Amino acid sequence: MSIMPGAMLGLLGGGQLGRMFTMAAQSMGYRVTVVDPSDRSPSTGIADRHLRTDYLDSDTLRELASTCAGVTTEFENVPAESLRILAERCVVSPAANSVAVAQNRILEKNFLAANGFGVAPYAVIQNSQNSNNSHNLNGALSHKQPELFPGLFPGILKISRFGYDGKGQTRVNNSIELDRAFTGMKREPCVLEKQLPLESEVSVIVSRGFDGEVTTFPVSENQHRNGILDVSIIPARASPAIIQNAREIAIRIAEKLDYRGVLCVEFFVLANGRLLVNEIAPRPHNSGHYSIDACVTSQFEQQVRVLCGLPLGSTAMHGAAVMVNLLGDLWQKGEPKWEQVLRHPYVKLHLYGKLDARPGRKMGHYTVLAETVEAALQLALEIKQSLEQQLLEHRAPVN
Ligand code: ADP
Ligand code: MG
């Protein structure tokens, strides 16, 4: 039975993805209760209700289950246990089991590899004993043991949990650097991954309903800077075979996980056109923000639709789009000059209402719409340059 407009929906996490989910849900007539321990997160100001507690708080979970028809999450590191408890009493999407795999790099890589999805060569690095396919670093490694990880150097050591935007990752060239980096990560479980020469990176947002209906959004080509998504170009400038392959792999991953919800699959594209799965995120994704302005249905409306058991919306795109992230660095000299963005009739500005503009923090984005990718990219980069120009200009001296 579908959950119809007017109902209250629950959301774990109050970040920008939650804000955009809340806006999509409210515009369709739903109400939203957000759980977030902070009182200043992007979605708490606009939600119909805010429960300001930890995600595992038992009163909160009871309250959510009794007042909400369905609960979802915007936040990769939501305790899977919360979703498991809620699922005993109300509709939950995505399920605890899927989230548990996606939020743990070791489980994620092992799941992908075990099911035949190509991933970068990797090894699990952990302190504890005997686990398959894992290497135990109990004492310090010496440079005499490079054979421990044949072919994985130069590599990237990635912490298994709670990493994002390139945080919790260190480049390592040999076993000594590996040991140092592992100690730097407090010897928490990690994955060592071979650093690959990437032709490009692409991602696919796939949505799968409770009835098994599946849609994919157009494939996005993603450019990162300092490990953080910088620019997304849609449709991706890749061959039709790569595009089709990316969509098919994303659907197969959603099916293998028995996933119900919106899932992002990030890929590496190698020079020979081969696709490797980088990681999966159990929620809408930064690389899908373009869908708000460029598609019939946004990734956030699709999240509402899955949760509420509605038929999925069309993911057809109106034209080409380029999305550019606005990081806190841009605020170094005060509020950016938004007229540089707003003066263009086919450019859409989104700001997340965050109060502190720290470097590397995602503050907003803009999406340029055009008939062709080339035209969208050109204008997107011109605007980007004009915003960054402001940082180079000297302030007029104050007497
Ligand atoms: P996060 O969770 O921070 O998004 P990712 O594993 O996706 O972490 O890494 C962030 C970015 O770093 C990737 O999008 C890619 O640009 C680069 N990167 C990560 N792993 C590799 C790798 N094995 N080879 C080359 N580049 C990589
Ligand atoms: Mg990533």
Side-chain angles (χ1 to χ4, degrees), residues 76 105 108-109 120-121 154-156 158 163-169 193-198 201 222-229 266-268 278-279 283 285:
E76 183 149 350
R105 266 190 213 278
E108 176 183 67
K109 292 265 189 223
I156 304 176
K158 302 183 177 182
Y164 70 99
D165 287 349
K167 294 188 178 68
Q169 300 197 4
E193 201 177 292
K194 186 177 171 63
Q195 170 142 8
L196 299 170
L198 308 182
E201 294 182 72
N222 304 320
Q223 298 177 348
H224 296 80
R225 205 162 128 192
N226 303 324
I228 307 176
L229 182 63
E266 289 180 50
F267 295 92
F268 296 143
N278 170 21
E279 59 173 352
R283 49 169 174 75
H285 192 263

Side-chain angles (χ1 to χ4, degrees), residues 83-293:
L83 299 174
R84 202 168 285 130
I85 293 167
L86 287 164
E88 289 168 8
R89 303 204 31 208
C90 65
V91 174
V92 171
S93 150
N97 289 347
S98 313
V99 172
V101 170
Q103 69 187 191
N104 179 317
R105 266 190 213 278
I106 297 175
L107 297 182
E108 176 183 67
K109 292 265 189 223
N110 289 346
F111 160 80
L112 291 167
N115 285 288
F117 299 106
V119 295
Y122 73 101
V124 174
I125 307 287
Q126 54 191 359
N127 254 333
S128 60
Q129 287 89 44
N130 62 43
S131 131
N132 281 343
N133 186 30
S134 80
H135 295 270
N136 305 324
L137 296 189
N138 286 317
L141 282 170
S142 82
H143 59 281
K144 294 186 191 119
Q145 298 172 293
E147 70 283 0
L148 257 184
F149 306 105
L152 293 186
F153 295 121
I156 304 176
L157 184 68
K158 302 183 177 182
I159 199 153
S160 175
R161 293 224 43 200
F162 304 114
Y164 70 99
D165 287 349
K167 294 188 178 68
Q169 300 197 4
T170 309
R171 265 205 65 167
V172 289
N173 290 305
N174 52 51
S175 44
I176 298 185
E177 289 182 16
L178 168 64
D179 190 61
R180 202 178 299 143
F182 186 49
T183 301
M185 301 205 190
K186 305 203 167 70
R187 302 181 89 82
E188 293 286 329
C190 287
V191 168
L192 171 65
E193 201 177 292
K194 186 177 171 63
Q195 170 142 8
L196 299 170
L198 308 182
E199 182 72 14
S200 65
E201 294 182 72
V202 299
S203 61
V204 179
I205 312 284
V206 53
S207 315
R208 187 160 178 269
F210 288 104
D211 59 359
E213 184 189 3
V214 180
T215 62
T216 56
F217 282 91
V219 178
S220 171
E221 173 185 341
N222 304 320
Q223 298 177 348
H224 296 80
R225 205 162 128 192
N226 303 324
I228 307 176
L229 182 63
D230 185 24
V231 175
S232 285
I233 300 162
I234 311 96
R237 296 167 298 176
S239 70
I242 290 177
I243 300 285
Q244 195 189 337
N245 202 5
R247 289 181 114 139
E248 284 174 8
I249 293 171
I251 291 172
R252 274 195 279 129
I253 289 175
E255 288 175 348
K256 273 279 176 218
L257 266 180
D258 197 19
Y259 194 84
R260 314 293 163 139
V262 175
L263 176 79
C264 177
V265 181
E266 289 180 50
F267 295 92
F268 296 143
V269 185
L270 304 185
N272 59 8
R274 185 157 178 235
L275 286 174
L276 298 179
V277 179
N278 170 21
E279 59 173 352
I280 58 179
R283 49 169 174 75
H285 192 263
N286 196 168
S287 64
H289 288 355
Y290 75 89
S291 62
I292 298 173
D293 302 304

